[in-house]
Amino acid sequence: MALTREQMAQRVARELQDGFYVNLGIGIPTLVANYIPDGIDVMLQSENGLLGMGRFPTEEEVDPDMINAGKQTVTARPGAAIFSSAESFAMIRGGHVDLTVLGAFEVDQEGNIASWMVPGKLIKGMGGAMDLVAGAENIICTMTHASKHGESKLLEKCNLPLTGAGCINRVLTDLAYLEIKDGAFILKERAPGVSVEEIVEKTAGKLIVPDHVPEMTFDE
Amino acid sequence: MAGFDKRVASYEEAMEGIESGMTVLAGGFGLCGIPENLIAEIKRRGVKDLTVVSNNCGVDGFGLGLLLEDRQISKIFASYVGENALFEQQMLNNEIEVVLTPQGTLAEKMRAGGAGIPAFYTATGYGTPIGEGKEERVFDGRHYILEEAIKGDFAIVKGWKADRYGNVMYRHTAQNFNPMAATAGKITVVEVEEIVEPGELEPSQIHTPGIYVDRIIQSTFEKRIEKRTVRS
C-alpha cells in the first residue's frame, strides 16, 4: 500500500533530531509537526519571520499580527523569536536551518528540484522555496512517486523549470524513501506491501537497489 | 520648528508628492502588517502606472488588491501572487507585468537598496529561470547570480508604535518586509497604531530608527485575516 499523507509525515518526523531548527513547507511537510517524537525538542522556522512556531491559536488567542508562512494564524511557543524577512532569509540562505522539508512536482538523479511552475498554467510564484533549497544542506522532498497516470516524478532530468539545481539529497514518496547521490537514486526503504519491482517500474531516473530494502513500519 | 517631528496630520499629507509612474515599496506578508490606510490613500488619489514592490498583492477589495480595481499598478515585483481573481485576470491579459522574485532575494534587494549596496550575489535562483541572463560567479566552488538592489520613490510601512521622531517598533510577525521597505524609500511613510513621546520607547528595542522615516501618522486598522486557523 502507498503511504498516506499522515504516514509520510510520520516517516519524515523520524529524521528530526533533538535541537534541530526545521523549516516545514506547505502540505504534507506541515503535518510533520504533529509527529515530533517524544523526548526531542525542535524549533520550527516560518520564513515570514518566526523561529519557534507554536500551535494554532484558540478562538481567543487569534491575532491578525501573528501568522505563519502559509498565512494561517498561529502562536509563538516559549523561547520563540520574531524578526524581519531579511533576517529570516539570512538564516535560511546562510545555512543555519538544520532541516528543510518541502514538496515537489519532480526531482531528478542530479538532485535538481522543480516545484513552482508548470508552463501553460497560471504561475503564482516561488515564494521562499528557491531560497530554502539554495540555503539548506539537508533537504527532504515529499511527493508522490508517480502521477495519477503512472508517469514517474523521479527523473533522469527534470522536465519542468527548476526551483534549485543539485540541492536535494533525500526524497520520501508515497512508495519509498530514497537518497540521491553521485547521479543516482538509492532505494533505502519501501512502503509496507510495496514491492521493489513496483518502485523500479515507477522510477524513471537511475535507481540503485541494494540487496536488502527494508519495509517501513508504522504504529497503528 | 518641526525639528525631528515627523508627524503629519492627514493621509493626504502623508502621501503628498506621489505621482503616476513612481515606484512604491510596500511592507506586509499576505495581509499581515500591510499599510492598509496608505494603500487606500493611493487608491483615492488615482495615480497610475505604478511599479509596486511587495511580497504579495493583497486580495480582491483589500490591501494592494484595491489598486488593481482602477488599474493603477503596471508592474509588480513579488514572490507570490494570484490570491485574487482580479490580479489573475490582469496578469493573463498582460495588463500588469509581474517580476516574480524569490522571497529572500526580494527582502535582500530592499535591504541592499536602503544600505547603499547596488547589487549582491546569491545562490538563490541559480540554474533556474530566475538566473537566466544574470551575471554568474563561482565562490568557493559554488555558483551564484548577481541580483540588483531596489529603491523606491515612496516606501509605505505599517508599524505598531512610533515616537514622533519616527522611531518605529513592529508587532509580532507584522514586522516581515516593513523594516527593509522603510530603509529604501526616497520618501518613507509609516502608519502606526500609536504615536508616543520621544523617550517612551526603549532605544535598544527600536526596529526602524527615525533616520529612515520621513512621515508618520497614527490611525486605526482593520487587520483583515487571510486564513483564520484555530485549534479545536
Side-chain angles (χ1 to χ4, degrees):
Chain A
M1 281 282 284
L3 300 182
T4 64
R5 290 162 57 86
E6 284 70 25
Q7 285 175 321
M8 289 177 73
Q10 277 181 58
R11 178 61 193 85
V12 170
R14 290 176 199 163
E15 301 301 312
L16 300 172
Q17 292 177 29
D18 196 21
F20 259 20
Y21 295 100
V22 181
N23 184 290
L24 300 175
I26 291 164
I28 290 166
T30 306
L31 299 176
V32 174
N34 299 335
Y35 297 102
I36 297 169
D38 289 340
I40 77 163
D41 196 10
V42 300
M43 199 71 92
L44 300 177
Q45 205 256 15
S46 189
E47 63 266 25
N48 58 318
L50 169 60
L51 185 62
M53 184 164 51
R55 301 194 292 172
F56 290 122
T58 61
E59 274 301 338
E60 296 70 41
E61 287 171 339
V62 167
D63 184 334
D65 290 337
M66 201 58 225
I67 65 165
N68 65 18
K71 297 167 190 164
Q72 297 169 301
T73 44
V74 285
T75 60
R77 56 164 272 177
I82 293 176
F83 33 82
S84 72
S85 299
E87 184 80 48
S88 179
F89 283 94
M91 57 185 79
I92 288 168
R93 234 189 279 103
H96 303 279
V97 176
D98 296 300
L99 177 66
T100 292
V101 185
L102 78 179
F105 301 146
E106 297 175 344
V107 293
D108 69 28
Q109 63 197 38
E110 304 298 335
N112 298 317
I113 171 173
S115 66
W116 70 287
M117 171 178 175
V118 178
K121 288 196 181 170
L122 186 75
I123 300 156
K124 291 194 168 189
M126 70 293 285
M130 283 193 182
D131 305 279
L132 282 159
V133 297
E137 293 276 311
N138 199 2
I139 303 173
I140 301 177
C141 257
T142 58
M143 59 196 296
T144 51
H145 208 101
S147 72
K148 275 178 242 165
H149 312 292
E151 293 152 343
S152 179
K153 297 180 179 181
L154 275 56
L155 305 171
E156 188 182 339
K157 193 171 186 300
C158 288
N159 297 310
L160 297 170
L162 298 185
T163 308
C167 48
I168 305 299
N169 43 28
R170 287 186 284 172
V171 183
L172 177 74
T173 73
D174 53 342
L175 303 182
Y177 181 63
L178 310 99
E179 287 180 7
I180 303 175
K181 206 177 165 190
D182 300 329
F185 294 98
I186 304 163
L187 182 55
K188 304 298 280 189
E189 294 172 32
R190 57 199 168 88
V194 172
S195 68
V196 169
E197 290 69 29
E198 181 180 353
I199 295 163
V200 169
E201 187 200 327
K202 289 183 173 165
T203 306
K206 185 177 174 188
L207 178 67
I208 295 171
V209 182
D211 290 341
H212 177 62
V213 182
E215 203 170 81
M216 296 174 209
T217 54
F218 293 94
D219 301 329
E220 284 308 310
Chain B
M1 189 185 77
F4 294 105
D5 192 345
K6 311 283 175 77
R7 289 174 298 176
V8 294
S10 67
Y11 273 89
E12 197 168 356
E13 206 181 322
M15 291 311 293
E16 183 62 43
I18 190 162
E19 290 170 18
S20 294
M22 281 186 165
T23 295
V24 178
L25 314 183
F29 184 97
L31 299 181
C32 181
I34 60 170
E36 56 181 73
N37 300 302
L38 293 168
I39 293 167
E41 171 63 16
I42 294 174
K43 178 174 170 67
R44 194 192 67 78
R45 284 172 171 258
V47 289
K48 304 248 182 193
D49 194 27
L50 298 173
T51 294
V52 169
V53 183
S54 168
N55 191 51
N56 314 96
C57 197
V59 295
D60 287 319
F62 194 67
L64 289 169
L66 284 175
L67 304 187
L68 299 169
E69 293 171 357
D70 301 319
R71 295 186 164 67
Q72 290 174 270
I73 304 176
S74 60
K75 183 175 182 178
I76 183 164
F77 290 77
S79 85
Y80 194 84
V81 293
E83 300 286 18
N84 28 6
L86 201 48
F87 191 95
E88 286 186 16
Q89 188 195 324
Q90 291 183 18
M91 187 160 67
L92 292 170
N93 294 345
N94 289 320
E95 290 169 322
I96 187 164
E97 182 187 347
V98 184
V99 185
L100 287 173
T101 308
Q103 200 174 124
T105 297
L106 190 66
E108 195 65 12
K109 276 172 176 274
M110 288 197 224
R111 198 195 70 81
I117 294 172
F120 56 92
Y121 286 101
T122 177
T124 303
Y126 171 77
T128 78
I130 298 307
E132 281 168 20
K134 288 177 183 157
E135 189 185 320
E136 292 177 8
R137 257 188 82 172
V138 176
F139 295 94
D140 272 337
R142 249 194 118 190
H143 292 270
Y144 296 82
I145 58 172
L146 189 68
E147 291 279 6
E148 290 183 16
I150 293 182
K151 288 195 265 195
D153 297 298
F154 270 81
I156 54 174
V157 169
K158 160 68 175 59
W160 175 37
K161 289 184 184 180
D163 63 26
R164 51 191 167 81
Y165 292 176
N167 294 305
V168 182
M169 290 171 71
Y170 305 96
R171 187 168 175 274
H172 300 334
T173 61
Q175 183 174 165
N176 56 60
F177 283 82
N178 281 296
M180 282 73 69
T183 64
K186 274 185 207 142
I187 297 174
T188 289
V189 189
V190 184
E191 57 174 353
V192 296
E193 295 169 43
E194 188 183 359
I195 296 177
V196 300
E197 287 301 304
E200 284 187 40
L201 302 178
E202 175 63 38
S204 65
Q205 301 302 306
I206 301 294
H207 293 116
T208 294
I211 193 168
Y212 296 112
V213 176
D214 298 288
R215 303 170 187 171
I216 56 166
I217 185 164
Q218 179 178 312
S219 190
T220 54
F221 298 82
E222 179 186 333
K223 295 195 187 181
R224 196 179 292 185
I225 293 175
E226 207 163 338
K227 293 182 185 170
R228 175 183 288 267
T229 310
V230 295
R231 69 172 186 264
S232 41

